[in-house]
Amino acid sequence: MESDYSVKEHRLLEAIYDLAEGDPRTIVASAKVAASRTNLPHTFREFYPLARHLKGLGLIQTSSASGVGIVGMFRITPTGIRVVEAVRTS
C-alpha cells in the first residue's frame, strides 16, 4: 500500500472497487453505500476529505471537478484498480 494515504482511505478505495466490481466504467452512484461499507460516517468531516484525497491521487474519479460533488458518484480508475489488486494479492 502506498504511504500517501491512510488505512481508512484504502478501505474506501476497496469499497468503491467492490461496488464497481473492479470495472472502471461502472459508476458507483452512492457515497452513502460506499461509506457504510467502510463503517465511515457519511459526513463532510469524515468521508469527503478521504474521497477528495483519493481523487487527488488519481485513484478515483468523482462527479465534480472540485471535489466529490453533492451527488457523490464515483468511478475507480485503472490506477485505483491496480492498487487494490496489488494489495489483495500480496
Side-chain angles (χ1 to χ4, degrees):
M1 189 168 10
E2 295 178 2
S3 61
D4 291 32
Y5 66 108
S6 70
V7 172
K8 285 182 181 180
E9 288 167 325
H10 187 76
R11 285 193 339 233
L12 177 57
L13 182 63
E14 283 189 311
I16 294 168
Y17 173 93
D18 291 341
L19 290 165
E21 298 178 345
D23 185 350
R25 297 167 298 182
T26 300
I27 294 172
V28 175
S30 176
K32 205 175 221 179
V33 171
S36 71
R37 290 259 180 128
T38 61
N39 294 321
L40 289 170
H42 182 241
T43 64
F44 284 109
R45 177 173 270 188
E46 294 288 326
F47 180 83
Y48 288 103
L50 300 176
R52 274 193 294 276
H53 192 235
L54 290 174
K55 180 181 180 179
L57 293 173
L59 302 176
I60 64 171
Q61 294 176 331
T62 64
S63 59
S64 167
S66 62
V68 293
I70 294 172
V71 176
M73 294 191 302
F74 307 94
R75 284 190 191 171
I76 190 160
T77 64
T79 302
I81 290 168
R82 285 191 297 275
V83 168
V84 171
E85 291 176 351
V87 169
R88 287 184 174 178
T89 59
S90 62

